[in-house]
Amino acid sequence: MTAILFGAFFVLLVIGVPVAFAMAISAALAVYFGSSYPLIVVVKEMFSGLDSFPLMAVPFFVLAAELMTGGAMTHILLRFASQFVGHLRGGLGYANVLSSTMFAGISGSALADAAGPGAMMVRMMEKGGYDRPYAAALTASSAVIGPIIPPSIIMILYAMQVDRVSVGALFMAGIVPGLMMAAMLCAANWYVCRQRGYRSAEPRPSPGEMMRTTLHAIPALMLIVIIIGGIRAGIFTPTEASVVAVFYALVCGMFVYRSLKLRDLPEIVYRAALVSVAVLLILAAARAFAWVLIIQSVPQTLAATIGGWELSPIVFLLAVNLLLLVFGLFMDPLPGVMVLVPILAPIAHSLGIDPVHFAIVVIVNLTLGLITPPVGSLLFVVSSTVKIRVTDLVREMPPFFIAHLVVLALLTFVPALSTWLPRVSGF
């Protein structure tokens, strides 16, 4: 049954079947040809995978991001970020990273970051004298911060798979790693701009202009404070926070900035629904795929095998990093969380690895799969948005990928980078 599952899955991926359909079809083939279970059990498991209250946060956070983009708040955050660094050498690159970091605190999705503020930053950087492939590569790399800084869809899904961590703890744990990733990308941008002679043509704004831009951006920035502060204070759960985010974005767009019209809402809801359905379809298929693995005792067998090797915690973490980096070449992060985390997390716990530390290492590692060919979703989203070839974009990726790997190594060897903030915050 396991051989049918993996064999069918890889064949379907090779011939270009979308990952959600590949997982669902391979699970159905494994059940039909390798067991006595009725096929209806695959459908049952797919529905069970979506029958979860925390999952309601996914479409609401996606809708909040779409409302922010449609309500011109993306432009406001870009201007706010650009005023501090736009006049420096490589300044628009720094503004790209800074705006993605701020938008990460709103959307929870790398793809939303790349398609929203990222696409606008590429156009701004190109006008400022940067090569378009370089601007696109930096945009894709900075969008990876989206799932790390809270709110984060992938963190919500991880907490659903592992009882030892809460969504609130993971949200707090993602702040420091997300800021580290932003800092390392800025360092990579500084190096490349120095090598290529990219200079800024942006004038330095006056103190008065900076004050006006900052005051104008405060309502948009407050959404981040409301989400994190509300969860930390126990005012609402992460799922309820997603609904609050939608209403806040709606109020800001329609009444504060007055750039969001009623006629815009159907198109915004439609785009959010498409993204949400794609995510939820992957999760449903991954649940059926994981169920086949469970009834074949694959997680238990693998855990017993690895446990018998008597690995040290650090060796295990290095092995997990290597496994997930390879996995990310072929799969998106969400199936990775659904399929691999139930197998790996119990092993990590048995070795005494802090569950929050392990969660952040896994999440950061899996999100890097978004910028690794041949399946990296961000590469294709950015290339199609700014109309460049994926191969041109990939050639510019090495400095930024190295920056992300440095952060991953630090998170692996220094657990306090992930665990300190949740502990001092009461999680």
Side-chain angles (χ1 to χ4, degrees):
M1 192 174 180
T2 306
I4 298 174
L5 179 74
F6 284 106
F9 177 65
F10 286 116
V11 168
L12 290 169
L13 282 183
V14 168
I15 64 177
V17 176
V19 63
F21 293 99
M23 297 180 84
I25 293 171
S26 59
L29 292 174
V31 168
Y32 184 78
F33 291 106
S35 76
S36 57
Y37 290 98
L39 270 178
I40 192 66
V41 75
V42 176
V43 179
K44 171 188 170 296
E45 288 300 320
M46 292 181 70
F47 274 96
S48 298
L50 300 180
D51 186 17
S52 172
F53 177 73
L55 269 185
M56 292 178 64
V58 173
F60 283 114
F61 275 131
V62 172
L63 179 56
E66 290 289 345
L67 287 169
M68 292 288 282
T69 303
M73 281 177 271
T74 299
H75 297 273
I76 293 164
L77 292 177
L78 282 176
R79 287 199 300 270
F80 175 74
S82 183
Q83 71 176 348
F84 297 107
V85 293
H87 60 281
L88 303 174
R89 178 195 290 270
L92 288 179
Y94 300 137
N96 189 327
V97 176
L98 186 57
S99 62
S100 291
T101 304
M102 290 188 294
F103 200 74
I106 297 168
S107 70
S109 168
L111 299 181
D113 289 1
M120 286 183 278
M121 277 308 309
V122 171
R123 290 191 287 271
M124 287 176 60
M125 290 180 69
E126 189 177 13
K127 289 180 181 178
Y130 296 76
D131 295 330
R132 183 187 291 188
Y134 174 77
L138 180 57
T139 295
S141 301
S142 61
V144 172
I145 302 172
I148 309 302
I149 291 182
S152 168
I153 293 172
I154 192 172
M155 289 180 180
I156 295 171
L157 301 179
Y158 189 103
M160 291 173 56
Q161 305 300 311
V162 180
D163 295 334
R164 296 184 181 92
V165 295
S166 67
V167 175
L170 291 183
F171 276 11
M172 297 305 296
I175 294 175
V176 172
L179 295 177
M180 290 173 59
M181 294 169 78
M184 287 302 301
L185 288 176
C186 286
N189 176 69
W190 172 84
Y191 175 79
V192 174
C193 291
R194 187 181 179 197
Q195 294 293 111
R196 300 185 183 182
Y198 290 143
R199 296 183 179 275
S200 176
E202 293 281 314
R204 186 179 188 130
S206 66
E209 289 175 325
M210 294 182 69
M211 180 63 70
R212 286 191 295 272
T213 303
T214 301
L215 291 174
H216 196 51
I218 285 177
L221 294 171
M222 281 301 296
L223 180 56
I224 307 170
V225 178
I226 290 172
I227 292 174
I228 301 300
I231 294 173
R232 174 64 189 89
I235 299 173
F236 39 68
T237 67
T239 305
E240 293 164 345
S242 65
V243 181
V244 172
V246 168
F247 279 97
Y248 185 83
L250 191 62
V251 169
C252 281
M254 296 187 71
F255 303 109
V256 177
Y257 296 116
R258 297 181 180 180
S259 55
L260 186 63
K261 307 300 181 184
L262 279 176
R263 63 176 179 271
D264 301 327
L265 294 183
E267 177 65 22
I268 289 173
V269 172
Y270 174 73
R271 291 199 306 266
L274 285 181
V275 175
S276 300
V277 168
V279 171
L280 295 176
L281 187 58
I282 291 174
L283 298 182
R287 173 61 179 263
F289 192 92
W291 177 82
V292 176
L293 293 178
I294 291 170
I295 65 170
Q296 289 294 291
S297 300
V298 173
Q300 297 89 329
T301 302
L302 187 57
T305 301
I306 296 177
W309 294 344
E310 298 182 351
L311 300 176
S312 67
I314 197 64
V315 172
F316 173 73
L317 285 174
L318 291 174
V320 167
N321 279 332
L322 181 60
L323 169 66
L324 296 182
L325 285 172
V326 173
F327 182 88
L329 296 175
F330 307 101
M331 292 281 283
D332 284 337
L334 298 185
V337 169
M338 298 291 289
V339 175
L340 294 179
V341 167
I343 299 174
L344 298 175
I347 304 173
H349 178 69
S350 68
L351 293 175
I353 299 172
D354 186 285
V356 173
H357 173 218
F358 184 72
I360 294 300
V361 170
V362 169
I363 289 170
V364 170
N365 201 318
L366 285 174
T367 56
L368 294 186
L370 293 169
I371 55 172
T372 53
V375 182
S377 303
L378 280 174
L379 302 178
F380 293 98
V381 168
V382 173
S383 66
S384 62
T385 301
V386 301
K387 304 295 186 293
I388 66 169
R389 294 183 300 177
V390 174
T391 52
D392 294 335
L393 192 158
V394 170
R395 287 195 199 99
E396 300 283 356
M397 290 299 298
F400 307 123
F401 196 74
I402 290 171
H404 284 308
L405 289 180
V406 170
V407 174
L408 179 61
L410 290 172
L411 294 174
T412 301
F413 289 105
V414 188
L417 295 172
S418 306
T419 59
W420 171 75
L421 193 54
R423 285 174 181 167
V424 300
S425 301
F427 288 100

